[in-house]
Protein backbone atom coordinates (compact mmCIF):
# COMPACT_ATOMS: atom_id res chain seq x y z
CA UNK A 1 0.00 0.00 0.00
CA UNK A 2 1.52 3.31 -1.02
CA UNK A 3 -1.41 5.43 0.25
CA UNK A 4 -4.84 5.28 1.92
CA UNK A 5 -6.82 5.95 -1.26
CA UNK A 6 -9.05 3.23 -2.80
CA UNK A 7 -7.47 0.63 -5.14
CA UNK A 8 -7.43 1.75 -8.78
CA UNK A 9 -9.92 -0.93 -9.89
CA UNK A 10 -12.38 0.56 -7.42
CA UNK A 11 -11.64 4.11 -8.67
CA UNK A 12 -12.31 2.98 -12.24
CA UNK A 13 -15.59 1.30 -11.26
CA UNK A 14 -16.77 4.28 -9.14
CA UNK A 15 -16.09 6.84 -11.88
CA UNK A 16 -16.99 4.53 -14.77
CA UNK A 17 -13.59 4.99 -16.43
CA UNK A 18 -13.88 2.30 -19.07
CA UNK A 19 -10.75 2.61 -21.22
CA UNK A 20 -11.26 4.44 -24.53
CA UNK A 21 -9.15 3.41 -27.49
CA UNK A 22 -9.54 6.86 -29.08
CA UNK A 23 -7.61 8.36 -26.13
CA UNK A 24 -4.96 5.61 -26.14
CA UNK A 25 -6.04 4.49 -22.68
CA UNK A 26 -4.06 1.55 -21.28
CA UNK A 27 -4.03 2.04 -17.53
CA UNK A 28 -1.43 0.94 -14.99
CA UNK A 29 -3.34 -0.39 -11.98
CA UNK A 30 -0.46 -1.80 -9.91
CA UNK A 31 0.58 0.97 -7.50
CA UNK A 32 3.85 -0.81 -6.65
CA UNK A 33 4.72 -0.59 -10.33
CA UNK A 34 3.76 3.09 -10.62
CA UNK A 35 5.82 3.84 -7.47
CA UNK A 36 8.76 2.09 -9.15
CA UNK A 37 8.36 4.28 -12.27
CA UNK A 38 8.20 7.34 -10.02
CA UNK A 39 11.48 6.30 -8.37
CA UNK A 40 13.05 5.96 -11.83
CA UNK A 41 12.28 9.68 -12.31
CA UNK A 42 14.93 10.51 -9.67
CA UNK A 43 14.76 12.41 -6.41
CA UNK A 44 11.46 14.28 -6.57
CA UNK A 45 11.41 15.77 -3.09
CA UNK A 46 12.57 19.24 -4.11
CA UNK A 47 10.89 19.17 -7.55
CA UNK A 48 7.66 20.07 -9.26
CA UNK A 49 6.64 17.17 -11.49
CA UNK A 50 4.62 17.66 -14.66
CA UNK A 51 2.62 14.54 -15.49
CA UNK A 52 0.78 14.31 -18.80
CA UNK A 53 -2.21 11.97 -19.16
CA UNK A 54 -2.73 10.84 -15.53
CA UNK A 55 -5.95 8.91 -16.30
CA UNK A 56 -7.29 7.41 -13.05
CA UNK A 57 -4.07 8.53 -11.30
CA UNK A 58 -1.89 5.46 -10.80
CA UNK A 59 1.37 7.18 -11.71
CA UNK A 60 0.19 10.41 -10.03
CA UNK A 61 -0.18 8.52 -6.75
CA UNK A 62 3.26 6.95 -7.27
CA UNK A 63 4.80 10.40 -7.79
CA UNK A 64 3.11 11.88 -4.73
CA UNK A 65 3.96 8.88 -2.53
CA UNK A 66 7.59 9.20 -3.72
CA UNK A 67 7.65 12.65 -2.13
CA UNK A 68 7.28 14.99 -5.13
CA UNK A 69 7.04 18.56 -3.83
CA UNK A 70 4.14 19.24 -6.18
CA UNK A 71 2.58 17.42 -9.14
CA UNK A 72 0.82 19.21 -12.00
CA UNK A 73 -1.26 16.93 -14.22
CA UNK A 74 -2.86 17.60 -17.62
CA UNK A 75 -5.63 15.20 -18.61
CA UNK A 76 -7.82 15.39 -21.70
CA UNK A 77 -10.54 12.98 -20.54
CA UNK A 78 -13.09 14.89 -18.43
CA UNK A 79 -14.30 11.61 -16.87
CA UNK A 80 -10.96 11.30 -14.99
CA UNK A 81 -11.06 14.76 -13.36
CA UNK A 82 -13.21 13.87 -10.28
CA UNK A 83 -10.97 10.86 -9.54
CA UNK A 84 -7.92 13.13 -9.74
CA UNK A 85 -9.56 15.70 -7.41
CA UNK A 86 -10.00 12.90 -4.89
CA UNK A 87 -6.21 12.36 -4.97
CA UNK A 88 -5.67 16.13 -4.62
CA UNK A 89 -7.82 16.07 -1.44
CA UNK A 90 -5.63 13.31 0.03
CA UNK A 91 -2.45 15.36 -0.66
CA UNK A 92 -3.46 18.93 0.27
CA UNK A 93 -1.70 21.62 -1.75
CA UNK A 94 0.46 19.14 -3.67
CA UNK A 95 -1.62 18.21 -6.72
CA UNK A 96 -2.81 20.65 -9.38
CA UNK A 97 -5.27 19.14 -11.88
CA UNK A 98 -5.60 20.74 -15.32
CA UNK A 99 -8.22 19.50 -17.77
CA UNK A 100 -7.04 19.93 -21.35
CA UNK A 101 -5.02 18.70 -24.31
CA UNK A 102 -1.31 18.54 -23.47
CA UNK A 103 -0.48 19.45 -27.06
CA UNK A 104 -2.23 22.80 -26.53
CA UNK A 105 -1.97 23.71 -22.82
CA UNK A 106 1.15 25.56 -21.64
CA UNK A 107 1.80 24.28 -18.12
CA UNK A 108 4.77 26.54 -17.36
CA UNK A 109 2.70 29.13 -15.48
CA UNK A 110 1.78 26.38 -12.99
CA UNK A 111 5.31 25.09 -12.39
CA UNK A 112 8.26 26.25 -10.29
CA UNK A 113 11.78 24.96 -11.10
CA UNK A 114 13.36 22.50 -10.68
CA UNK A 115 10.91 20.61 -12.88
CA UNK A 116 10.83 16.96 -13.87
CA UNK A 117 8.40 15.40 -16.35
CA UNK A 118 6.84 11.94 -16.14
CA UNK A 119 4.17 10.34 -18.32
CA UNK A 120 2.53 7.22 -19.61
CA UNK A 121 0.98 8.55 -22.78
CA UNK A 122 -0.51 7.30 -26.03
CA UNK A 123 2.36 6.61 -28.45
CA UNK A 124 1.65 9.43 -30.93
CA UNK A 125 1.19 12.11 -28.26
CA UNK A 126 4.30 10.91 -26.39
CA UNK A 127 6.56 11.17 -29.43
CA UNK A 128 5.17 14.60 -30.41
CA UNK A 129 5.73 15.96 -26.89
CA UNK A 130 9.21 14.41 -26.64
CA UNK A 131 10.21 16.13 -29.89
CA UNK A 132 8.84 19.46 -28.56
CA UNK A 133 10.63 19.09 -25.22
CA UNK A 134 13.93 18.26 -26.96
CA UNK A 135 13.54 21.17 -29.33
CA UNK A 136 13.08 24.03 -26.86
CA UNK A 137 14.62 27.38 -27.93
CA UNK A 138 16.83 27.67 -24.81
CA UNK A 139 19.20 25.07 -23.39
CA UNK A 140 19.33 23.92 -20.58
CA UNK A 141 15.55 23.43 -20.96
CA UNK A 142 12.84 24.19 -18.38
CA UNK A 143 12.92 20.53 -17.32
CA UNK A 144 15.68 18.51 -15.65
CA UNK A 145 14.54 15.07 -16.75
CA UNK A 146 11.89 13.19 -18.72
CA UNK A 147 10.67 9.76 -17.60
CA UNK A 148 8.36 8.48 -20.30
CA UNK A 149 6.60 5.26 -21.26
CA UNK A 150 6.90 4.26 -24.92
CA UNK A 151 6.35 1.25 -27.09
CA UNK A 152 9.54 -0.78 -26.73
CA UNK A 153 10.36 -0.15 -30.40
CA UNK A 154 10.27 3.65 -29.90
CA UNK A 155 12.32 3.39 -26.70
CA UNK A 156 14.96 1.49 -28.69
CA UNK A 157 15.05 4.26 -31.30
CA UNK A 158 15.71 6.86 -28.57
CA UNK A 159 18.77 5.04 -27.15
CA UNK A 160 20.08 3.47 -30.40
CA UNK A 161 23.71 3.82 -31.53
CA UNK A 162 25.10 4.00 -35.12
CA UNK A 163 24.91 0.85 -37.18
CA UNK A 164 21.72 -0.46 -35.59
CA UNK A 165 18.36 -0.61 -37.35
CA UNK A 166 16.76 1.57 -34.69
CA UNK A 167 19.34 4.38 -35.07
CA UNK A 168 17.86 7.54 -36.56
CA UNK A 169 16.54 11.04 -36.06
CA UNK A 170 15.09 10.35 -32.62
CA UNK A 171 18.39 8.83 -31.38
CA UNK A 172 20.40 11.86 -32.47
CA UNK A 173 17.99 14.49 -31.18
CA UNK A 174 17.67 12.66 -27.84
CA UNK A 175 21.36 11.98 -27.28
CA UNK A 176 22.72 15.31 -28.51
CA UNK A 177 21.85 17.16 -25.28
CA UNK A 178 20.64 14.39 -22.95
CA UNK A 179 21.75 11.13 -21.46
CA UNK A 180 19.10 8.58 -22.42
CA UNK A 181 18.53 5.07 -21.09
CA UNK A 182 15.83 2.42 -20.92
CA UNK A 183 15.15 1.95 -17.21
CA UNK A 184 12.25 -0.51 -17.23
CA UNK A 185 10.61 -3.07 -19.50
CA UNK A 186 6.90 -3.79 -19.24
CA UNK A 187 4.93 -6.67 -20.75
CA UNK A 188 1.45 -5.98 -22.23
CA UNK A 189 -0.17 -7.59 -19.16
CA UNK A 190 1.08 -4.73 -16.95
CA UNK A 191 -1.69 -2.58 -18.50
CA UNK A 192 -5.50 -2.66 -18.47
CA UNK A 193 -6.49 -3.32 -21.21
CA UNK A 194 -3.20 -4.86 -22.44
CA UNK A 195 -1.78 -3.19 -25.59
CA UNK A 196 -0.54 -5.35 -28.49
CA UNK A 197 3.13 -4.57 -27.97
CA UNK A 198 5.74 -4.45 -25.19
CA UNK A 199 6.46 -1.11 -23.53
CA UNK A 200 9.51 0.45 -21.91
CA UNK A 201 10.23 3.43 -19.68
CA UNK A 202 12.93 5.79 -20.96
CA UNK A 203 14.72 8.25 -18.70
CA UNK A 204 16.33 11.30 -20.32
CA UNK A 205 18.45 13.63 -18.24
CA UNK A 206 19.16 17.08 -19.69
CA UNK A 207 22.90 17.81 -19.84
CA UNK A 208 24.02 21.40 -19.12
CA UNK A 209 25.44 21.67 -22.67
CA UNK A 210 25.25 19.76 -25.91
CA UNK A 211 27.81 16.96 -26.33
CA UNK A 212 29.11 18.68 -29.49
CA UNK A 213 28.38 22.23 -30.67
CA UNK A 214 25.88 22.70 -33.53
CA UNK A 215 23.02 24.98 -34.49
CA UNK A 216 19.85 23.17 -33.37
CA UNK A 217 17.83 24.09 -36.47
CA UNK A 218 20.56 23.09 -38.96
CA UNK A 219 21.24 19.82 -37.12
CA UNK A 220 17.53 18.94 -36.97
CA UNK A 221 17.10 19.62 -40.70
CA UNK A 222 20.16 17.81 -41.95
CA UNK A 223 19.44 14.76 -39.80
CA UNK A 224 15.82 14.69 -41.00
CA UNK A 225 16.93 14.78 -44.66
CA UNK A 226 19.70 12.23 -44.10
CA UNK A 227 17.35 9.68 -42.54
CA UNK A 228 14.43 10.30 -44.90
CA UNK A 229 16.24 8.02 -47.34
CA UNK A 230 18.40 6.09 -44.91
CA UNK A 231 19.58 3.52 -47.46
CA UNK A 232 20.91 6.18 -49.85
CA UNK A 233 24.45 7.52 -49.85
CA UNK A 234 24.64 10.87 -48.06
CA UNK A 235 25.98 12.72 -51.12
CA UNK A 236 22.70 11.81 -52.77
CA UNK A 237 20.20 12.09 -49.87
CA UNK A 238 21.67 15.52 -48.98
CA UNK A 239 22.14 16.85 -52.53
CA UNK A 240 19.75 19.73 -51.79
CA UNK A 241 22.71 21.34 -49.93
CA UNK A 242 25.09 23.04 -52.43
CA UNK A 243 28.66 21.68 -52.22
CA UNK A 244 27.56 18.80 -50.00
CA UNK A 245 30.52 16.56 -50.87
CA UNK A 246 32.95 19.20 -49.55
CA UNK A 247 30.88 19.71 -46.39
CA UNK A 248 30.77 15.94 -45.78
CA UNK A 249 34.51 15.67 -46.23
CA UNK A 250 35.09 18.68 -43.93
CA UNK A 251 33.06 16.84 -41.29
CA UNK A 252 35.14 13.68 -41.72
CA UNK A 253 32.27 11.79 -43.36
CA UNK A 254 32.73 9.63 -46.44
CA UNK A 255 30.25 11.04 -49.03
CA UNK A 256 29.30 7.46 -49.98
CA UNK A 257 28.40 6.60 -46.36
CA UNK A 258 24.76 6.05 -45.33
CA UNK A 259 23.08 8.02 -42.54
CA UNK A 260 22.78 4.99 -40.26
CA UNK A 261 26.60 4.68 -39.97
CA UNK A 262 27.28 8.35 -39.13
CA UNK A 263 27.77 9.17 -35.44
CA UNK A 264 26.43 12.13 -33.49
CA UNK A 265 29.81 13.91 -33.46
CA UNK A 266 30.00 13.70 -37.28
CA UNK A 267 26.42 14.98 -37.74
CA UNK A 268 27.26 17.94 -35.47
CA UNK A 269 30.44 18.64 -37.48
CA UNK A 270 28.35 18.52 -40.68
CA UNK A 271 25.77 20.94 -39.21
CA UNK A 272 28.59 23.34 -38.26
CA UNK A 273 30.07 23.17 -41.75
CA UNK A 274 26.66 23.79 -43.36
CA UNK A 275 25.83 26.65 -40.98
N1 LIG B 1 -1.08 7.62 -16.69
C1 LIG B 1 -2.21 6.70 -16.62
C2 LIG B 1 -1.71 5.33 -16.24
O1 LIG B 1 -0.49 5.13 -16.31
O2 LIG B 1 -2.52 4.48 -15.91
C3 LIG B 1 -2.98 6.66 -17.94
C4 LIG B 1 -2.19 6.19 -19.11
S1 LIG B 1 -3.09 6.10 -20.64
C5 LIG B 1 -1.88 5.21 -21.60
C6 LIG B 1 -2.92 7.68 -21.40
C7 LIG B 1 -3.66 8.83 -20.73
O3 LIG B 1 -3.40 10.03 -21.48
C8 LIG B 1 -5.17 8.67 -20.71
O4 LIG B 1 -5.67 9.01 -19.45
C9 LIG B 1 -5.67 9.66 -21.78
O5 LIG B 1 -6.97 10.14 -21.53
C10 LIG B 1 -4.62 10.74 -21.68
N2 LIG B 1 -4.42 11.53 -22.91
C11 LIG B 1 -4.46 11.11 -24.20
N3 LIG B 1 -4.19 12.11 -25.04
C12 LIG B 1 -3.95 13.21 -24.27
C13 LIG B 1 -3.63 14.56 -24.57
N4 LIG B 1 -3.47 15.00 -25.83
N5 LIG B 1 -3.47 15.41 -23.53
C14 LIG B 1 -3.62 15.00 -22.24
N6 LIG B 1 -3.94 13.73 -21.92
C15 LIG B 1 -4.11 12.84 -22.90
Amino acid sequence: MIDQLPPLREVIATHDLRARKSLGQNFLLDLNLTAKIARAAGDLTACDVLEIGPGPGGLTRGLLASGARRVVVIEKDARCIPALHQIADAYPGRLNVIEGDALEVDPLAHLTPPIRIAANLPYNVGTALLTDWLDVPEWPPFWQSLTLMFQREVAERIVATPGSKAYGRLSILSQWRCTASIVMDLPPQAFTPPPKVRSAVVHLQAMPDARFPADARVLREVVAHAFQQRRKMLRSSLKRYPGIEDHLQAAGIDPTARAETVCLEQFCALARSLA
Side-chain angles (χ1 to χ4, degrees):
M1 280 250 284
I2 63 165
D3 57 34
Q4 302 303 317
L5 286 155
L8 284 158
R9 282 190 197 285
E10 200 178 308
V11 173
I12 285 176
T14 308
H15 298 275
D16 196 16
L17 302 180
R18 258 165 298 180
R20 287 200 179 140
K21 222 176 167 176
S22 59
L23 284 165
Q25 292 181 333
N26 302 97
F27 299 133
L28 289 169
L29 303 187
D30 177 350
L31 288 164
N32 290 316
L33 183 61
T34 61
K36 200 170 156 196
I37 298 171
R39 284 196 295 278
D43 182 2
L44 305 178
T45 48
C47 293
D48 277 12
V49 182
L50 171 63
E51 188 201 346
I52 312 290
L59 180 55
T60 317
R61 286 164 64 175
L63 295 165
L64 287 162
S66 300
R69 177 177 69 192
R70 231 160 53 88
V71 179
V72 174
V73 295
I74 305 177
E75 173 56 61
K76 194 173 172 182
D77 185 352
R79 297 177 308 158
C80 299
I81 304 300
L84 294 165
H85 280 307
Q86 204 176 357
I87 305 173
D89 291 342
Y91 288 94
R94 289 179 57 203
L95 176 60
N96 185 350
V97 180
I98 302 172
E99 183 185 339
D101 184 333
L103 296 167
E104 285 161 16
V105 174
D106 177 7
L108 270 180
H110 304 273
L111 292 159
T112 311
I115 298 162
R116 293 186 187 265
I117 299 180
N120 169 24
L121 272 169
Y123 156 65
N124 55 339
V125 183
T127 322
L129 285 172
L130 171 64
T131 317
D132 282 355
W133 289 325
L134 291 173
D135 198 22
V136 285
E138 304 253 320
W139 201 271
F142 70 90
W143 48 268
Q144 280 190 341
S145 67
L146 310 172
T147 307
L148 309 172
M149 182 85 69
F150 286 106
Q151 291 186 11
R152 172 82 208 183
E153 175 252 320
V154 178
E156 280 168 7
R157 281 166 45 203
I158 293 170
V159 303
T161 48
S164 65
K165 242 172 78 184
Y167 182 62
R169 204 179 131 253
L170 209 49
S171 330
I172 290 167
L173 296 184
S174 301
Q175 296 167 39
W176 179 39
R177 299 189 286 195
C178 297
T179 57
S181 55
I182 293 180
V183 289
M184 216 182 286
D185 254 315
L186 288 99
Q189 311 82 270
F191 301 84
T192 304
K196 287 204 174 64
V197 293
R198 294 184 65 80
S199 303
V201 178
V202 180
H203 184 72
L204 294 112
Q205 187 86 33
M207 301 192 309
D209 292 302
R211 279 177 216 275
F212 309 102
D215 178 89
R217 189 188 52 81
V218 180
L219 179 66
R220 192 175 57 238
E221 273 177 23
V222 77
V223 167
H225 291 311
F227 281 99
Q228 227 158 37
Q229 300 159 301
R230 56 188 293 139
R231 304 253 160 251
K232 278 198 172 174
M233 291 179 192
L234 287 166
R235 68 174 176 209
S236 144
S237 58
L238 297 179
K239 64 172 185 272
R240 72 187 62 233
Y241 296 98
I244 188 61
E245 295 225 9
D246 293 341
H247 287 296
L248 286 164
Q249 257 147 8
I253 303 169
D254 178 349
T256 65
R258 291 169 174 79
E260 60 201 15
T261 64
V262 174
C263 69
L264 174 61
E265 185 172 8
Q266 289 172 312
F267 270 119
C268 290
L270 180 59
R272 288 199 300 277
S273 178
L274 288 168

